Amino acid sequence: MTKRKIEDSLEADTERKKISTRDKSLYLDTINRKVLDFDYEKVCCVSLSSTNIYGCLVCNKYFRGRSMDSECFLHSINDDHHVFVNFDTLSFHILPENYQLDEQTASSLNDIRQQINPTYKDLKDIYQDTSLKRDLAGREYRPGFIGLSNFGANDYSNVILQALAHVPPLRDYLLLYPEKLHKTKLVGKLSLLVRKMYSPNLFKSHLSAHELMQFVSSSTNKRFSLHHESEPKDFLMWLLNNMHKELVSELQNNMISSIFQGKVELPSGKSKFWMLTLTLPSVTLFKDGAKLEIPQVALEDLLAAKKYKIAKAPQFLTFYIKRKDDTQKIAGVNGSNINPTVVKFNPSQLKVDTHVYKLIANVVYSSGQNENYSLEREDQAHYKIHVLDEVRNEWLEIDDLKVKPIEKDLLFLNQTYLQFWQKIA
């Protein structure tokens, strides 16, 4: 081959490479990051299949497969959308040409991979970084303190998921070891949600627990779902029991029981517990002039009234404040079965026998009320949560999507429902 022919050949190869590179990135500018939301259950929006699902990076819809008769391929033809991500492999594909982006080109889309499946090498920023982050719209947010969408009646699950996401040993495990949890279903989906909650690179400053709750709804025959109100304490008990069973059976890991489980001493012997129920004293509300006087009781007094002794104090102690009166007749409260007694406590310190605890999460019951303190019906109950931001030493109130600071001295003024205390001594 002559020198001229060799030069022509090299130029042709170079030109082909340029064309190839240009073709591979031809459609990438059609990606619309502002509409992308990967929190929903990964099922095809046409066939409802849950296998081999791809996400359209232009319109955020999910479709099955890449073959010429697949919903994904037809969508690329009919809607002129061309860039898709495989949720199992996190590879990117161009349709209808049907080729996969090489890793060099795909690396420009790593921010999308982090939206789908965030990963963490260490937790230094979670324990030290006090800076606020911004989403694509410029809204500020605190990683870890992210509002969760309410689809109509799932505030009961939102508060429990928020609480578990702020139990340090559980949170750290869920953040650091997603590959270990790949074989689990319930814990794996909770891990994904928590990893998204702590991400500093969110496209939107709010999230949805849709994928996790769809799995829970299916597993419980819709006992716990997005569209039917349930008791937060019942959801917590179900979660702890099933997470414990799954981790023990799949990974021989008993961390859930080591974190939350304690023992009480009863006349019949010792018994394990996940949470302790504290019953409020019966209440009658009397009018003082034009106002109703709401009774108050100290949390220490409720503990002192218990008829059992704690034989083994758990690392994290959970209290359920029983507010609902089975008689559904509370004098002075119009049509309510909710005991409005205020429970007073010091968030910084609670002595339980010989141990000392600090409050990290406080779930409160709320409902509509007027100047005469009339509460709405039980089926209109609503729950929100106060969580401690230890890095900034602040308390935040999270009410579904709303996140705002709250003074520590005002926590007890709400109708406490569930509390999570961390042992410090």
Side-chain angles (χ1 to χ4, degrees), residues 268-293:
S268 57
K270 293 182 179 179
S271 177
K272 297 179 181 179
F273 70 88
W274 292 114
M275 74 173 66
L276 295 179
T277 299
L278 302 178
T279 303
L280 294 172
S282 56
V283 58
T284 301
L285 301 185
F286 295 97
K287 280 195 173 183
D288 179 14
K291 296 182 179 180
L292 287 173
E293 196 169 299

Side-chain angles (χ1 to χ4, degrees), residues 166-205:
H166 291 90
V167 175
L170 175 60
R171 173 199 64 197
D172 295 353
Y173 183 74
L174 296 176
L175 290 177
L176 286 176
Y177 303 108
E179 69 283 351
K180 288 185 179 180
L181 300 172
H182 184 69
K183 64 173 66 175
T184 65
K185 295 181 179 179
L186 174 61
V187 183
K189 292 184 185 302
L190 178 60
S191 168
L192 179 59
L193 176 63
V194 173
R195 283 183 281 127
K196 289 181 178 181
M197 291 173 68
Y198 280 88
S199 171
N201 304 304
L202 292 178
F203 287 173
K204 297 179 181 179
S205 57

Side-chain angles (χ1 to χ4, degrees), residues 222-317:
K222 297 186 178 180
R223 177 188 176 192
F224 302 112
S225 76
L226 294 168
H227 308 291
H228 301 286
E229 186 67 68
S230 296
E231 286 280 345
K233 71 174 180 65
D234 295 337
F235 181 59
L236 174 63
M237 291 295 292
W238 183 89
L239 268 182
L240 292 179
N241 275 301
N242 285 272
M243 288 168 62
H244 172 68
K245 291 177 183 177
E246 190 175 66
L247 284 177
V248 169
S249 63
E250 296 292 340
L251 302 175
Q252 293 74 54
N253 186 327
N254 65 351
M255 74 172 305
I256 300 298
S257 61
S258 67
I259 293 172
F260 295 101
Q261 201 169 77
K263 290 183 180 179
V264 292
E265 196 164 332
L266 303 172
S268 57
K270 293 182 179 179
S271 177
K272 297 179 181 179
F273 70 88
W274 292 114
M275 74 173 66
L276 295 179
T277 299
L278 302 178
T279 303
L280 294 172
S282 56
V283 58
T284 301
L285 301 185
F286 295 97
K287 280 195 173 183
D288 179 14
K291 296 182 179 180
L292 287 173
E293 196 169 299
I294 309 300
Q296 299 184 8
V297 63
L299 181 59
E300 289 83 355
D301 293 338
L302 295 180
L303 285 170
K306 66 186 188 305
K307 298 179 181 180
Y308 46 79
K309 180 182 179 181
I310 297 179
K312 177 187 175 185
Q315 188 178 353
F316 287 81
L317 182 59

Side-chain angles (χ1 to χ4, degrees), residues 334-389:
N334 182 25
S336 174
N337 67 336
I338 303 298
N339 189 326
T341 299
V342 172
V343 179
K344 298 191 295 182
F345 53 88
N346 178 3
S348 303
Q349 179 175 299
L350 174 68
K351 290 186 177 180
V352 181
D353 296 335
T354 60
H355 303 284
V356 180
Y357 286 81
K358 72 173 182 179
L359 186 67
I360 62 167
N362 183 47
V363 176
V364 298
Y365 171 92
S366 66
S367 62
Q369 42 183 295
N370 58 30
E371 64 272 14
N372 295 320
Y373 200 86
S374 62
L375 295 174
E376 296 183 358
R377 301 188 308 274
E378 176 186 351
D379 61 359
Q380 293 176 309
H382 182 73
Y383 301 93
K384 54 188 177 182
I385 187 170
H386 306 137
V387 287
L388 174 61
D389 182 351

